[in-house]
Amino acid sequence: MGLDDRDALLVLRDAFGTSNSTDGFVGRLFTRWFGTDPSARDLFPADLSAVRAAFAQAMSWVYGELVAQRAQEPVAFLAQLGRDHRKYGVTQHHYDTMGRVLYAALRDELADDFTPAVEDAARESLNLIIGVMGGAADAEEGPAWWEGTVVEHLRVSRDLAVVRIQLDHALPYHPGQYVKVEVPQCPRSWRYLSPSMPADETGAIEFHLRGVPGGLVSTAIVNETRPGDRWRLSSPHGGLHVDREAGDVLMVAGSTGLAPLRAIIMDLTRWGVNPRVHLFFGGRYPCELYDLPTLWQIAAHNPWLSATPVSEYPGDPNWAADYPDVTPPRGLHLRQTGRLPDVVTRYGNWSDRQILICGGPEMTRATKAALVAKGAPEQRIQHDPLSE
């Protein structure tokens, strides 16, 4: 039965979905692949933990969709993955060796559970996965990546930076999308970042980011990036957007989660008439609301935009004096104190709004849950995919 056999596909899904799959089965799979094809090892960073976790999560999701007999989204996802993997240097040879190794690893891992029905499902599903990814990569005519030079690095707070890049060729993307970046300090370690401005035909692009404790790439960018550094950017992903015909908008930005919402707001300024947009911009301290002057300037010329600054603590720490003063001129909403989910929901349930939430996974989940509990329809809430 192959791809029609839900029970067999469930066995395959569970091989990737177990709690120890990244250290167990998936870890052994990658070791086996590198032993079979040593050239594959050079595609990845030294620390494989994030790669193994992402692989296990993706495979578990794809098989889960196949179990549910939903093929359209997995095929689209795999095609995008194949196009995107070109930036790593993945070739058809690597797809072929991974397909063979993955089949053999599943056969050995499942042992007695690798029945003839499971074998058929494994062959057909792996042919689909490898075929779609490899075919999409071969068919793509655009560049595998875009390169650019850092022209400005602004340290706007203790662990916050704004980086401006001049790309060799303009990168087409929609406001609200995100890309993966590779920086010279961390070769082969790619990190998702959201442009903070709409696509520019001259190739100018800007990113906001925060150094995350234990985050190799983000810490290197905040602390070590210098003008002249050469960056690589992947093709864009994501569908965060505002429908100008679908009513008023609530935006909630935690720290550098402001970036994609800022890009959308800047894009909206192209029109004279827009839905009302109310933005809550939050940080730990008032000094970390790094882009308030820009928001004030936009709001001053666009009456459809309201911005409410929110800080968890009422005052700044001593180190704030070492960084730029971000106090905007009078005219912006008075700053509120508290957690973003609490402050946002004090204003109402926002059930009549398009809702966009951007920030860390914990803040995003908490804000979404608070809004839904207040009565906001979950289907009207947008956010990017959340990692654990």
Side-chain angles (χ1 to χ4, degrees):
M1 294 176 65
L3 294 178
D4 295 324
D5 191 333
R6 296 188 179 188
D7 291 336
L9 291 168
L10 190 60
V11 172
L12 296 171
R13 187 203 67 180
D14 290 347
F16 297 97
T18 56
S19 59
N20 66 346
S21 63
T22 56
D23 295 326
F25 169 57
V26 173
R28 292 190 293 274
L29 167 66
F30 273 80
T31 300
R32 189 169 185 164
W33 186 29
F34 298 154
T36 302
D37 183 5
S39 71
R41 184 63 185 89
D42 295 333
L43 305 175
F44 299 96
D47 183 0
L48 289 170
S49 56
V51 173
R52 291 196 299 259
F55 178 84
Q57 184 179 25
M59 292 296 287
S60 178
W61 179 81
V62 167
Y63 273 110
E65 293 295 287
L66 294 178
V67 168
Q69 299 293 288
R70 293 189 294 261
Q72 185 174 353
E73 285 194 26
V75 167
F77 168 76
L78 292 167
Q80 178 59 46
L81 211 56
R83 290 188 290 267
D84 193 49
H85 274 41
R86 294 177 305 141
K87 70 178 182 289
Y88 299 122
V90 177
T91 65
Q92 191 60 52
H93 166 75
H94 296 121
Y95 285 118
D96 292 341
T97 58
M98 170 52 101
R100 293 195 297 271
V101 168
L102 187 47
Y103 172 83
L106 284 167
R107 180 192 61 205
D108 294 346
E109 182 73 17
L110 295 173
D112 293 342
D113 290 331
F114 200 73
T115 63
V118 173
E119 180 179 8
D120 287 345
R123 287 188 186 279
E124 291 193 22
S125 60
L126 293 178
N127 284 340
L128 173 69
I129 292 168
I130 299 300
V132 170
M133 291 183 68
D138 287 343
E140 179 61 38
E141 297 179 354
W145 59 74
W146 283 257
E147 290 190 311
T149 302
V150 174
V151 294
E152 195 169 14
H153 176 272
L154 304 174
R155 192 70 172 267
V156 294
S157 189
R158 185 170 60 174
D159 55 0
L160 298 171
V162 172
V163 182
R164 295 178 178 136
I165 311 283
Q166 181 60 51
L167 297 173
D168 299 342
H169 304 283
L171 168 64
Y173 61 88
H174 299 295
Q177 288 192 299
Y178 53 90
V179 299
K180 271 191 169 183
V181 303
E182 182 192 38
V183 300
Q185 292 83 2
C186 305
R188 298 189 300 278
S189 294
W190 294 73
R191 188 187 190 280
Y192 286 116
L193 292 179
S194 295
S196 61
M197 56 184 281
D200 181 270
E201 62 182 12
T202 70
I205 194 167
E206 177 183 289
F207 298 103
H208 301 173
L209 67 156
R210 181 176 191 159
V212 179
L216 181 66
V217 178
S218 63
T219 301
I221 293 174
V222 171
N223 295 331
E224 302 172 26
T225 293
R226 297 292 181 269
D229 285 356
R230 294 285 288 174
W231 283 27
R232 282 183 176 178
L233 279 62
S234 76
S235 54
H237 302 266
L240 204 66
H241 70 284
V242 164
D243 183 345
R244 294 181 60 246
E245 307 300 325
D248 293 337
V249 182
L250 167 67
M251 295 182 174
V252 184
S255 187
T256 54
L258 175 67
L261 302 182
R262 178 187 192 263
I264 293 172
I265 289 170
M266 292 177 72
D267 187 62
L268 288 173
T269 63
R270 295 187 297 147
W271 288 277
V273 177
N274 280 306
R276 290 180 301 161
V277 177
H278 195 127
L279 167 70
F280 289 86
F281 174 35
R284 293 172 300 185
Y285 303 102
C287 66
E288 292 186 328
L289 302 174
Y290 62 93
D291 214 32
L292 285 183
T294 301
L295 295 175
W296 178 86
Q297 291 175 1
I298 297 174
H301 294 91
N302 296 275
W304 46 264
L305 175 64
S306 300
T308 298
V310 181
S311 64
E312 293 186 29
Y313 301 100
D316 285 329
N318 293 333
W319 51 257
D322 297 332
Y323 299 97
D325 181 9
V326 298
T327 305
R330 293 186 64 178
L332 206 66
H333 278 55
L334 291 177
R335 179 173 53 83
Q336 305 293 306
T337 302
R339 295 172 62 252
L340 261 177
D342 299 333
V343 173
V344 171
T345 52
R346 281 207 301 262
Y347 280 69
N349 64 16
W350 305 96
S351 60
D352 60 338
R353 303 292 180 105
Q354 302 177 69
I355 300 173
L356 285 68
I357 308 173
C358 292
E362 183 178 348
M363 184 283 293
T364 300
R365 290 191 185 95
T367 303
K368 181 178 180 179
L371 286 166
V372 171
K374 278 280 189 174
E378 187 170 355
Q379 64 270 21
R380 288 179 65 85
I381 299 176
Q382 300 179 51
H383 56 78
D384 285 331
L386 300 176
S387 58
E388 294 300 327

